[in-house]
Amino acid sequence: MNTNANKPASARGELDRRDFLKLGAWALAGAGSATGCASTPRSTRHRAGNRAFPRGFYWGTATSAYQIEGAWNEDGKGPSIWDTYAHTPGNIRNNDTGDVANDHYHRYKEDVALMKCIGANAYRFSISWPRIFPEGTGTPNAKGLDFYNRLVDELKAAGIEPFATLYHWDLPQALQDRYGGWQSRDTARALGDYAGYVAEKLSDRVRHFFTINEFKQVTETAYRGVELHVQGKTVRLMSAPGILLEDGPLNQVRHNALLGHGLAMQAIRARARAGTKAGPAENMPHAIPIIDSPEHVRAAMAATRDLNHYFLGPMLEGRYDDAYLKKAGRNAPKFTDDEMRIISSPADFVGINVYIPTLAVMASDKSPGYEEVPFSVSHPKMFSDWHRLIPESQYWSPRLLHGIWNPAEIYITENGCAATDEVAKDGNVYDYDRVMYLRNGMMWQQRAIAEGVPLKGNFYWSTMDNFEWINGYGDRFGLVHVDFKTQKRTPKLSARWYREAARRNAIA
Ligand code: NOJ
């Protein structure tokens, strides 16, 4: 018999109604102003029980430079391929651009205060390469680096651990013009030099670096475009520079991006402070087993390994998959043994951005040992056209990564969803759909950890609404609502949830 059940909630260490109203006041009245959030009671104890995360788990949020910084041509910054792409009419919904975005370049202090308010103890941001090297290589721009010094100092002072991504899609336009971007190994070499410079300058305070964010977007989506089919609709995704390549040159672009990752890893090792950790942040294609039983899990594992023959496979195994090379034939990338050694420089961790699985599978007697199960048209989705709702991805993705390649540490470098996020008459944003999404996803993460997967942190995408690439400002992913006309920030209901969960270090 549970004798505790007869005690009042406060005596059981749970939230009682008064506490709840006090906590609610933060979201509902002040809509989470930086001062309002400081009044959240800290004394309430909770029995996290089996909903707890391990001590030291990072409750992070994430953004990227082009999506939030604005100040696109200030303080000596050079143009990036995303500046060029967004300035070309017709490429982005409503012809939105990142020229101003969240004006984070000027408002970073307010934004760090908001992160503290959200209860985050880690923040993943990206560094704008053309802010540091306006020409892609050569003379660094001191004012560009100064911005990140100020940001990192602000984060440290707020008790938020900085995690920096070196390349989140905003290639210096100069490298596109000079080398054709990732079509040339020179761009890979330039990434190495830039990574070494930044690591040397920031690694006294930044202890974790991600090299490249989402290899597929940097290569296939940027140099071909991809189609996704969800609920009977076909969605075409494109990324800057928006070039259309044949299979052979595209495979070479993929290889060059891998080489860029490897050279960046080596440069970080050579120039950063001892103990600095580095690895990729990949949107790892993965397969979900429909049934959780050994033969279907084996099938999902085999499918996931096959799906990663372009990037994680070579990175973590030091070789391209034979079947891939055979199938590619004369379109296979050109590479040397030495390059494969560079590409597979040991990573301290693997970051994964987890949104949707590529496939659902069942075991099969026929080769390759799995068969694809189609998604039905009625499969539920979140706001974005492409976003099928499959929370268990947040279990399977790290679990399969662990099972196949066993990296020492895993981070979920992104997971999140867009929602309608209308501002209610009382000024608040009631995004219960996002709370549901978060809670369910994180319950699956917790299961992975409970089963021994070394998942060290979660970075919700995104800290605040921002420029969602070709969808402009239409898809809002933030825990904080941003009015892009006034730059007013309003924490949403989901920010309240995240804060409470981070505070308990448990599912709330
Ligand atoms: C992954 C990308 O890294 C990020 O930039 C993007 O905004 C989110 N997915 C949401 O689409």
Side-chain angles (χ1 to χ4, degrees):
M1 196 178 103
N2 180 0
T3 48
N4 238 353
N6 300 326
K7 295 184 186 159
S10 52
R12 294 198 308 262
E14 293 169 2
L15 281 179
D16 68 14
R17 202 177 131 68
R18 256 177 317 143
D19 285 335
F20 183 76
L21 289 176
K22 262 193 270 168
L23 287 169
W26 175 66
L28 302 178
S33 68
T35 46
C37 77
S39 67
T40 300
R42 291 210 155 260
S43 57
T44 317
R45 278 174 311 149
H46 299 279
R47 289 172 312 137
N50 58 8
R51 291 174 302 174
F53 281 76
R55 190 189 289 263
F57 187 78
Y58 286 112
W59 291 81
T61 65
T63 62
S64 87
Y66 185 73
Q67 294 179 272
I68 64 165
E69 283 180 1
W72 77 281
N73 57 0
E74 282 183 43
D75 289 342
K77 174 182 169 292
S80 80
I81 54 172
W82 267 96
D83 291 314
T84 308
Y85 196 68
H87 288 163
T88 310
N91 280 344
I92 312 291
R93 197 194 284 167
N94 297 325
N95 289 325
D96 288 341
T97 72
D99 290 3
V100 177
N102 299 39
D103 196 29
H104 173 76
Y105 190 76
H106 301 113
R107 295 169 192 260
Y108 68 94
K109 286 192 176 184
E110 182 190 347
D111 292 337
V112 171
L114 278 165
M115 289 170 214
K116 198 172 159 81
C117 214
I118 291 168
N121 59 5
Y123 174 51
R124 173 177 176 245
F125 62 98
S126 84
I127 293 171
S128 159
W129 182 350
R131 250 187 229 297
I132 308 287
F133 287 102
E135 295 295 318
T137 55
T139 313
N141 169 33
K143 284 190 171 170
L145 184 69
D146 280 353
F147 170 67
Y148 297 103
N149 272 321
R150 291 195 299 275
L151 173 64
V152 166
D153 287 345
E154 194 72 17
L155 289 163
K156 295 293 269 186
I160 299 171
E161 188 62 25
F163 285 67
T165 307
L166 292 161
Y167 183 53
H168 199 124
W169 310 359
D170 46 355
L171 188 77
Q173 181 63 43
L175 296 181
Q176 194 66 44
D177 297 343
R178 217 178 318 145
Y179 304 136
W182 292 103
Q183 294 175 81
S184 163
R185 285 173 168 81
D186 287 322
T187 295
R189 282 190 271 275
L191 178 66
D193 293 345
Y194 152 67
Y197 176 78
V198 170
E200 187 177 295
K201 299 290 179 193
L202 295 184
S203 60
D204 56 337
R205 288 151 294 153
V206 179
R207 310 303 294 136
H208 298 82
F209 287 93
F210 299 102
T211 55
I212 293 183
N213 176 69
E214 296 199 355
F215 288 75
K216 180 174 173 178
Q217 306 300 341
V218 174
T219 57
E220 190 175 331
T221 317
Y223 290 82
R224 166 77 57 88
V226 295
E227 286 190 344
L228 276 174
H229 311 279
V230 178
Q231 286 190 327
K233 265 174 115 184
T234 298
V235 190
R236 193 168 162 70
L237 300 177
M238 198 66 188
S239 197
I243 291 172
L244 299 181
L245 292 183
E246 299 293 324
D247 289 353
L250 179 59
N251 282 333
Q252 198 60 46
V253 160
R254 291 184 173 111
H255 177 77
N256 296 343
L258 275 179
L259 185 60
H261 156 82
L263 290 168
M265 290 294 300
Q266 290 198 335
I268 295 168
R269 296 272 183 259
R271 295 176 66 180
R273 296 256 171 131
T276 306
K277 293 187 174 181
E282 170 65 325
N283 187 335
M284 182 183 93
H286 61 283
I288 297 267
I290 300 285
I291 299 168
D292 186 353
S293 66
E295 76 270 32
H296 298 299
V297 174
R298 268 197 304 278
M301 210 176 250
T304 300
R305 196 165 175 281
D306 287 351
L307 288 167
N308 284 278
H309 59 239
Y310 289 133
F311 304 114
L312 275 188
M315 215 184 284
L316 299 175
E317 295 179 23
R319 55 189 292 279
Y320 281 113
D321 181 63
D322 292 336
Y324 158 54
L325 292 181
K326 196 164 164 221
K327 191 160 172 229
R330 61 185 180 84
N331 290 324
K334 312 266 176 298
F335 60 90
T336 64
D337 288 349
D338 193 40
E339 284 178 350
M340 296 315 288
R341 268 192 294 279
I342 295 169
I343 287 168
S344 56
S345 304
D348 298 298
F349 52 73
V350 174
I352 41 175
N353 294 355
V354 187
Y355 290 93
I356 48 172
T358 318
L359 302 175
V361 294
M362 303 271 281
S364 164
D365 296 339
K366 295 194 210 102
S367 169
Y370 54 88
E371 61 180 296
E372 187 177 344
V373 178
F375 292 103
S376 52
V377 170
S378 61
H379 193 102
K381 65 179 272 298
M382 301 306 291
F383 181 83
S384 302
D385 288 335
W386 51 266
H387 203 169
R388 255 182 213 117
L389 174 61
I390 307 184
E392 56 264 47
S393 254
Q394 292 188 50
Y395 166 75
W396 287 111
S397 182
R399 160 140 180 221
L400 295 171
L401 170 62
H402 174 64
I404 302 169
W405 293 291
N406 195 19
E409 295 183 352
I410 297 174
Y411 287 94
I412 293 197
T413 33
E414 284 182 31
N415 84 84
C417 66
T420 0
D421 289 340
E422 276 151 7
V423 181
K425 284 210 181 84
D426 61 8
N428 295 298
V429 180
Y430 296 100
D431 57 339
Y432 177 38
D433 48 351
R434 183 174 287 106
V435 172
M436 173 208 70
Y437 178 92
L438 253 167
R439 182 174 13 241
N440 282 285
M442 293 204 69
M443 278 162 72
W444 285 103
Q445 289 183 21
Q446 196 205 27
R447 175 178 164 194
I449 295 169
E451 291 179 10
V453 175
L455 179 59
K456 303 294 177 192
N458 172 63
F459 292 85
Y460 177 80
W461 184 274
S462 176
T463 314
M464 51 186 165
D465 299 339
N466 58 46
F467 178 84
E468 176 56 13
W469 308 113
I470 56 172
N471 289 324
Y473 295 99
D475 285 25
R476 294 175 173 274
F477 278 79
L479 294 175
V480 174
H481 181 274
V482 178
D483 179 331
F484 290 101
K485 289 203 186 83
T486 62
Q487 292 294 344
K488 182 174 183 232
R489 273 85 160 135
T490 306
K492 304 174 190 174
L493 190 61
S494 53
R496 273 276 298 104
W497 185 88
Y498 206 63
R499 175 180 171 83
E500 182 57 19
R503 192 172 75 89
R504 293 185 196 183
N505 199 26
I507 304 291

